[in-house]
């Protein structure tokens, strides 16, 4: 971008931010407009017509705004978040919030972007239903005899579950060629380690229930603490799970991914917190 490009870009971003903020303020007024039937007094056929004419708001925005605001009115802690951050922030939690959990969810909503919050809510709900990887299902399959013999040899004295776990997590000795970890003062991950880690999950996020594309390689022990690129503790993660990791909300983070689950609160006693707080400083939520 040249200088003029940057100027125009900056101006557009500023106006856009303001437009969003004003739209958020409009949404906050919707419940009162509905309650007082102000749209009728302003000679409009409906609140939708009123909001479209005066603020260019779509019907979907009005419906959604009213629905989320109605929920927020029941929960003062959520209402405070809506007032400061807008309805988008709390949308992922309106279906699960209760009187007992409203403070908990309000804190999460203040702390996370909408996308990260969605990821967190999804894991939180499914894991509290089934627990981490403790539900088992019987699986039958047809395999060539030769392959079965090989699998039996690999399993040796272990259990089938252990073998599958190793295969899924790319235990180096079995699924992939072993790769040594690299100690270096460079943050840059050596290409062969990056490839190895990415191939282990077929380019997808390593979080067990997640099928989103991995967008970054995450050092579960935090690179800054050890200055080591260790393939066993490097995992491809999607944006949402990478954010959750840096919020300290993934339990057993340095174990195999099948042992991961989301935590309710970060562990404040680990050195990783310093690194994570540093990361948080440099990016908006
Ligand atoms: Zn993910």
């Amino acid at each position: 971008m040249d200088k003029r490009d940057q100027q125009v870009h900056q101006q557009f971003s500023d106006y856009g931010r303001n437009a969003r903020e004003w739209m958020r303020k409009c949404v906050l007024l919707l419940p009162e407009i509905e309650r007082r039937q102000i749209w009728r007094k302003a000679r409009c056929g409906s609140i939708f017509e009123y909001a479209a004419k005066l603020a260019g708001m779509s019907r979907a925005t009005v419906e959604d705004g009213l629905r989320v605001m109605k929920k927020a009115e029941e929960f003062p802690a959520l209402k405070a978040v809506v007032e400061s951050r807008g309805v988008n922030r709390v949308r992922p939690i309106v279906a699960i919030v209760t009187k007992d959990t409203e403070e908990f969810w309000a804190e999460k909503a203040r702390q996370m972007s909408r996308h990260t919050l969605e990821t967190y809510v999804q894991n939180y709900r499914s894991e509290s239903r089934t627990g981490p990887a403790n539900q088992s299902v019987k699986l039958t399959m047809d395999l060539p005899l030769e392959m079965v013999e090989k699998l039996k040899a690999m399993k040796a004295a272990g259990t089938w579950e252990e073998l599958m776990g190793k295969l899924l997590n790319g235990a180096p000795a079995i699924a992939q060629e072993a790769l040594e970890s690299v100690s270096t003062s460079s943050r840059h991950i050596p290409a062969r380690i990056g490839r190895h880690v990415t191939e282990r999950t077929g380019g997808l996020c390593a979080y067990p229930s997640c099928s989103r594309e991995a967008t970054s390689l995450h050092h579960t022990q935090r690179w800054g603490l050890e200055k080591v690129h260790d393939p066993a503790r490097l995992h491809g993660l999607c944006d949402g799970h990478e954010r959750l990791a840096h919020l300290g909300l993934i339990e057993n983070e340095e174990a195999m991914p099948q042992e991961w689950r989301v935590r309710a609160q970060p562990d404040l006693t680990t050195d990783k917190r310093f690194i994570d707080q540093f990361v948080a400083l440099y990016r908006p939520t």
Side-chain angles (χ1 to χ4, degrees), residues 115 119 123 204-214 236-242:
H115 174 68
T119 306
N123 293 146
L204 300 181
C205 175
Y207 201 91
S209 56
C210 187
S211 54
R212 282 187 287 261
E213 193 189 336
L237 295 183
C238 70
D239 281 351
H241 284 115
E242 195 258 352

Side-chain angles (χ1 to χ4, degrees), residues 51-110:
K53 272 188 179 161
L54 292 167
M57 235 184 228
S58 73
R59 186 186 179 98
T61 306
V62 176
E63 279 174 347
D64 184 67
L66 280 171
R67 185 179 64 86
V68 178
M69 288 297 294
K70 189 167 170 241
K71 198 80 183 179
E73 310 247 294
E74 297 167 34
F75 300 100
L78 286 202
K79 192 158 183 229
V81 179
V82 171
E83 280 165 4
S84 61
R85 302 288 183 89
V87 291
N88 279 341
R89 276 300 170 113
V90 302
R91 188 176 292 102
I93 56 182
V94 290
I96 50 169
V97 66
T98 64
K99 286 277 168 216
D100 292 337
T101 59
E102 70 168 310
E103 292 293 342
F104 171 80
W105 286 116
E107 184 211 325
K108 297 291 183 246
R110 269 193 297 270

